[in-house]
Amino acid sequence: MDKIFSDKEYLALAVTEAKKGAKRTWQNPLVGAVIVRDGQILATGYHHQFGRQHAEINALSHLADLKQAQGATMYVTLEPCCHTGKTPPCAKRLVAVGIKRVVIGQLDPNPIVSGKGVALLQAGGVEVVIADYPMTINQAYNFFYRQQRPLVTVKYAMSLDGKINYRTGERTLLTGEAAWQDSQKLRATQQAILIGEHTLQVDDPQLTVRQQILIFPPVRVVVVRDVNQLSPDLALFQTSAPIWLLSQTQLQQTLPQQVTVFVRREWTPQAIIALLTKKGIQSLLVEGGSRLQADFISQNLVDKLVVYVAPKILGGQGLPAVSGPALPELIDFKRFTYQAVGADLRISSQREG
């Protein structure tokens, strides 16, 4: 390759590599790496899957000869780790093989790494550059460690007059096939999906991601009053993805092995978030119902909205979207986007910050 790129251009290539691991790294971040010496790209790599080689080690493994690393520059989207987890520390390995310079897209917000990876590299004589590069990957990962809770998205479909059901207690299919497929793609980006008991009984959903085979499917979380009253015939129990039931009563019956029951007297949005945070869940999609979504919004625990608007009028006594307690104040969402999905309209927005 004749052209010598800038640091930002090499980092852009590292980002492209990182995205190859999408949906396979679970609670690890997407990371890409590029090794360059004398203007030549020697190797690239990325974090392929949770529990496997990190991007830096993967890139080193693609060198024709490991001696090529001596005096080279590594461009990596995220600060190299400095601790032993499922894999050895990457920063130590870079020092050991003789990498001379490391350009980092962003510091790792995870406190077990943040700044420590850089310090380990510098102590080993490696020049470290923290690039001013706008990272667009790992939004939920960054949010989780900076805010100490999952990134919460509320998603629903509604009519033009703001209704989600034609009649209370009955499921109403509002949107078309294109919107359904789009919502499946949204599910695939989440680590957990949450619904309430009413939605479970009325819609009888599987809460799975169809048309994709995921190594780490979203955890299906359901808030129920009495776990012992649930029918074993529910569609939720007919698939193997993990299920967390948040119950007010202790389990007294046998449930499928993919089910874990958590018991608490009251499952408020704060209690749900506390549990998910403890379990390391970085992104949560609140799919229903209307009251549960309203509870999360009223507690200021919603960061993104995804709304599908169908070209229909339900009128009458149809259930309004986000129906629940009055908000203490107006909640303002920014960065509004919209797109047509078949005959329906997808509106998305998120909070600032």
Side-chain angles (χ1 to χ4, degrees):
M1 187 176 293
D2 296 327
K3 180 181 177 181
I4 298 177
F5 293 106
S6 67
D7 283 354
K8 288 189 176 182
E9 288 173 312
Y10 285 125
L11 277 174
L13 177 57
V15 169
T16 299
E17 286 294 307
K19 291 178 179 179
K20 294 178 181 178
K23 302 175 186 175
R24 296 198 299 272
T25 61
W26 185 226
Q27 294 176 346
N28 281 355
L30 298 175
V31 184
V34 177
I35 302 174
V36 178
R37 191 174 66 184
D38 299 327
Q40 298 293 313
I41 296 175
L42 303 180
T44 63
Y46 66 97
H47 182 35
H48 285 237
Q49 186 174 314
F50 181 75
R52 295 187 180 177
Q53 286 180 335
H54 286 186
E56 301 93 323
I57 310 305
N58 186 248
L60 290 173
S61 73
H62 291 150
L63 289 171
D65 187 332
L66 192 57
K67 292 180 180 178
Q68 291 179 307
Q70 296 177 8
T73 296
M74 175 172 283
Y75 295 86
V76 61
T77 57
L78 189 69
E79 178 182 8
C81 66
C82 56
H83 63 290
T84 299
K86 291 186 177 296
T87 60
C90 294
K92 283 187 178 181
R93 183 63 173 159
L94 298 186
V95 171
V97 299
I99 290 288
K100 180 181 179 180
R101 180 171 178 259
V102 175
V103 180
I104 298 171
Q106 74 160 79
L107 293 176
D108 194 331
N110 187 337
I112 65 174
V113 179
S114 188
K116 301 179 183 69
V118 169
L120 196 156
L121 289 169
Q122 291 174 331
V126 178
E127 177 190 354
V128 178
V129 177
I130 311 299
D132 180 22
Y133 189 86
M135 283 292 165
T136 57
I137 55 177
N138 300 317
Q139 183 182 21
Y141 176 86
N142 289 331
F143 184 95
F144 179 83
Y145 284 108
R146 290 167 180 165
Q147 303 298 327
Q148 295 299 299
R149 69 168 177 84
L151 179 72
V152 178
T153 301
V154 161
K155 184 270 287 186
Y156 56 88
M158 69 176 189
S159 63
L160 289 172
D161 54 339
K163 307 292 179 56
I164 63 172
N165 276 342
Y166 183 60
R167 294 185 182 91
T168 301
E170 293 182 11
R171 186 183 184 189
T172 303
L173 295 177
L174 290 171
T175 54
E177 177 69 16
W180 180 84
Q181 291 183 359
D182 188 80
S183 69
Q184 292 294 305
K185 293 178 182 178
L186 176 63
R187 278 185 180 178
T189 66
Q190 306 294 310
Q191 292 184 359
I193 302 171
L194 175 68
I195 64 170
E197 186 171 18
H198 183 73
T199 299
L200 177 67
Q201 300 292 357
V202 172
D203 292 359
D204 191 20
Q206 291 184 1
L207 296 181
T208 54
V209 178
R210 264 81 92 190
Q211 300 179 332
Q212 294 186 54
I213 299 176
L214 299 178
I215 299 172
F216 302 102
V219 177
R220 298 170 293 167
V221 186
V222 186
V223 183
V224 299
R225 288 184 295 274
D226 185 354
V227 66
N228 302 292
Q229 298 300 314
L230 298 180
S231 168
D233 297 327
L234 286 168
L236 186 76
F237 298 136
Q238 310 312 312
T239 53
S240 60
I243 302 166
W244 293 355
L245 298 178
L246 312 186
S247 176
Q248 296 177 8
T249 59
Q250 294 288 343
L251 178 64
Q252 297 176 349
Q253 65 171 324
T254 301
L255 290 175
Q257 63 179 3
Q258 74 269 32
V259 178
T260 303
V261 177
F262 300 89
V263 179
R264 186 183 176 92
R265 181 178 299 177
E266 184 181 10
W267 284 102
T268 63
Q270 289 86 350
I272 296 170
I273 288 297
L275 172 65
L276 298 184
T277 300
K278 182 178 179 181
K279 295 295 184 179
I281 297 296
Q282 297 164 10
S283 56
L284 171 66
L285 180 64
V286 185
E287 286 209 1
S290 180
R291 179 55 186 260
L292 185 62
Q293 292 176 339
D295 287 344
F296 267 80
I297 290 174
S298 69
Q299 297 303 307
N300 204 25
L301 287 172
V302 176
D303 309 293
K304 289 186 173 184
L305 286 175
V306 176
V307 181
Y308 298 94
V309 182
K312 298 177 174 68
I313 296 288
L314 297 187
Q317 300 300 311
L319 179 64
V322 194
S323 178
L327 298 178
E329 60 182 17
L330 181 68
I331 297 178
D332 192 15
F333 280 76
K334 306 290 185 182
R335 298 168 68 179
F336 167 89
T337 61
Y338 66 92
Q339 68 182 92
V341 282
D344 307 303
L345 182 67
R346 182 190 198 269
I347 302 172
S348 60
S349 188
Q350 66 185 62
R351 305 288 294 275
E352 290 295 336

